[in-house]
């Protein structure tokens, strides 16, 4: 997948006005076809998200899919850098119409795949700066990024970019882990620390943050005290067992209101029986139908960006986890502001 080119960086410069006009006309022609998915057989063609067209940048888009292929912030099993590629591959037969909900995204908003960000896969600090800069260029156009991860470290520069434009954002965070660890093996930037950094930098509207599906072992009984004191609302996985999450999401909508909102979905929120392909599995997780309830329950929120992280394809050769991730990303697309419902 080619590297995404942000709005301020063109591949070539036009030598004269005539060429510039022609290039602008070409771009406008492409825009008219943005939502026309490939009509080739499912296994054929260039591998883009949901078989959408690939374009160089976010100009004129209401939403875009963008990959961030990193995993050098992980503390255990690696392989999440391959997530964007595999999720795109498994998305080929998804859409275009969401029959259970009536969502018809391609008839109402402009969306395309803009490829992968150019990232430093050796130096995590430089990588995060690159992510923040490139996502910032996407977000400043008014486009809502749907990020395909990649390990959870990427959520830190994503929230930085969102807060730079919108101020502190609300967050619906679906995960097995709270990812508010102050530091991991002495490092303040890692896949377990993104929301500690977000708290430290006042990037979140803390009284409008929900963490759903939290479970597993922690360093001690006070592991969640810090974010709770800040206002985070934590909904443990055990409180989700055997029940619909529609009432939870009704409360989420009431609390968040029209505040600009970021959706973060770590695939390990799901039980390993549903999504074995991740590097830090925790039993007793959410079901796929609960995941759908959560995302569908975000309809009506002012969603300004989202990500899906920690898919580790080497841990699941069947492709089940990547396909599940692709379906959740499609559900995210369907609840964006402006999407038409029948």
């Amino acid at each position: 997948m080619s590297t995404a080119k942000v709005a301020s960086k063109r591949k070539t410069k036009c030598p004269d006005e005539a060429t510039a006009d022609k290039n602008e006309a070409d771009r406008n022609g492409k825009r008219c076809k943005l939502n026309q998915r490939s009509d080739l057989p499912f296994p054929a063609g260039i591998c883009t998200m949901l078989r959408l067209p690939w374009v160089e940048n976010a100009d004129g888009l209401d939403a875009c899919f963008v990959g961030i292929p990193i995993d050098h912030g992980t503390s255990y099993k690696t392989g999440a850098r391959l997530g964007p590629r595999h999720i795109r591959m498994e998305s080929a037969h998804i859409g275009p119409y969401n029959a259970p909900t009536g969502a018809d995204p391609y008839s109402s908003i402009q969306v395309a795949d803009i490829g992968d960000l150019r990232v430093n896969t050796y130096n995590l600090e430089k990588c995060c700066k690159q992510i923040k800069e490139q996502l910032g260029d996407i977000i400043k156009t008014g486009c809502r990024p749907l990020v395909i991860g990649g390990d959870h470290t990427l959520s830190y520069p994503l929230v930085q970019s969102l807060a730079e434009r919108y101020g502190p954002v609300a967050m619906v965070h679906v995960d097995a882990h709270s990812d508010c660890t102050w530091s991991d093996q002495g490092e303040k930037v890692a896949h377990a620390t993104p929301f500690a950094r977000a708290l430290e930098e006042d990037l979140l509207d803390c009284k409008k943050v929900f963490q759903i599906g939290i479970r597993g072992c922690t360093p001690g009984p006070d592991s969640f005290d810090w974010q709770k004191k800040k206002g985070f609302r934590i909904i443990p996985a055990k409180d989700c067992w055997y029940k619909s999450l529609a009432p939870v999401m009704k409360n989420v909508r009431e609390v968040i209101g029209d505040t600009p909102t970021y959706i973060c979905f770590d695939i390990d929120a799901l039980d390993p029986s549903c999504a074995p392909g991740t590097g830090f599995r925790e039993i007793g997780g959410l079901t796929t139908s609960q995941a759908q309830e959560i995302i569908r329950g975000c309809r009506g929120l002012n969603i300004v960006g989202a990500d899906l992280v920690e898919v580790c394809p080497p841990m699941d050769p069947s492709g089940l986890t990547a396909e599940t991730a692709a379906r959740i990303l499609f559900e995210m697309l369907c609840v964006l502001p402006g999407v038409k419902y029948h």
Side-chain angles (χ1 to χ4, degrees):
M1 176 59 59
S2 181
T3 303
K5 305 296 191 297
V6 293
S8 62
K9 297 177 182 177
R10 295 294 180 194
K11 192 178 293 184
T12 58
K13 291 185 178 180
C14 302
D16 53 54
E17 288 188 6
T19 304
D21 290 343
K22 179 180 183 301
N23 286 354
E24 185 62 29
D26 288 345
R27 284 195 294 274
N28 288 336
K30 288 178 182 177
R31 296 293 173 219
C32 294
K33 300 178 180 178
L34 280 181
N35 296 343
Q36 294 181 12
R37 290 162 25 107
S38 170
D39 59 1
L40 292 170
F42 291 137
I46 297 172
C47 191
T48 61
M49 188 65 191
L50 302 170
R51 301 206 300 167
L52 288 165
W54 172 83
V55 297
E56 322 187 300
N57 57 55
D59 288 352
L61 296 178
D62 299 304
C64 69
F65 290 100
V66 56
I68 304 183
I70 65 168
D71 63 9
H72 46 326
T74 56
S75 58
Y76 193 30
K77 297 174 183 176
T78 58
R81 69 179 60 193
L82 302 176
R85 180 170 296 180
H86 283 254
I87 291 169
R88 285 185 173 105
M89 181 176 69
E90 295 294 346
S91 76
H93 64 300
I94 299 172
Y97 176 64
N98 192 329
T101 68
D104 190 4
Y106 305 139
S107 73
S108 42
I109 65 172
Q110 294 287 291
V111 58
D113 188 332
I114 65 169
D116 293 337
L117 298 187
R118 180 177 290 277
V119 292
N120 186 318
T121 55
Y122 297 99
N123 184 304
L124 192 56
E125 182 179 355
K126 290 181 180 178
C127 176
C128 286
K129 289 179 180 178
Q130 290 173 323
I131 293 170
K132 179 179 181 291
E133 177 185 353
Q134 293 173 79
L135 287 178
D137 285 333
I138 292 168
I139 291 165
K140 72 174 60 169
T141 70
C143 179
R144 295 173 168 87
L146 299 174
V147 175
I148 316 168
D151 82 56
H152 217 152
T153 311
L154 65 84
S155 294
Y156 168 44
L158 172 54
V159 177
Q160 284 182 312
S161 301
L162 291 171
E164 195 170 75
R165 178 175 174 86
Y166 300 105
V169 293
M171 180 172 70
V172 179
H173 175 208
V174 192
D175 202 331
H177 313 101
S178 71
D179 292 341
C180 289
T181 302
W182 182 255
S183 67
D184 193 353
Q185 299 183 52
E187 296 296 330
K188 293 184 71 175
V189 177
H191 76 154
T193 69
F195 303 124
R197 302 287 76 76
L199 281 167
E200 189 178 29
E201 297 177 21
D202 295 322
L203 306 177
L204 297 171
D205 187 340
C206 294
K207 296 188 185 302
K208 296 184 178 182
V209 171
F210 290 81
Q211 296 188 306
I212 306 171
I214 306 299
R215 62 191 189 279
C217 301
T218 66
D222 58 350
S223 294
F224 304 126
D225 287 358
W226 181 42
Q227 60 262 42
K228 284 182 177 179
K229 287 177 182 177
K230 292 284 188 178
F232 280 31
R233 301 163 195 244
I234 296 178
I235 302 167
K238 64 181 178 63
D239 291 350
C240 303
W241 292 349
Y242 318 120
K243 64 181 69 171
S244 167
L245 297 186
V248 170
M249 295 313 298
K250 181 176 184 292
N251 183 47
V252 168
R253 292 191 301 273
E254 290 171 350
V255 170
I256 291 178
D258 61 358
T259 303
T261 301
Y262 156 56
I263 300 176
C264 177
F265 199 108
D266 187 322
I267 202 68
D268 69 23
L270 299 180
D271 190 81
S273 61
C274 306
T278 189
F280 221 109
R281 294 179 287 221
E282 301 280 3
I283 63 171
L286 304 178
T287 66
T288 52
S289 58
Q290 288 177 319
Q292 288 178 310
E293 281 189 306
I294 292 169
I295 303 303
R296 292 173 183 177
C298 291
R299 181 186 174 192
L301 294 178
N302 180 18
I303 301 162
V304 294
D307 61 31
L308 190 144
V309 297
E310 296 289 354
V311 172
C312 183
M315 299 300 297
D316 180 14
S318 75
L320 171 63
T321 308
E323 181 179 346
T324 300
R327 291 187 178 278
I328 293 170
L329 282 160
F330 178 66
E331 295 284 351
M332 289 178 177
L333 173 65
C334 289
V335 297
L336 291 182
V339 169
K340 177 181 178 180
Y341 278 72
H342 294 280

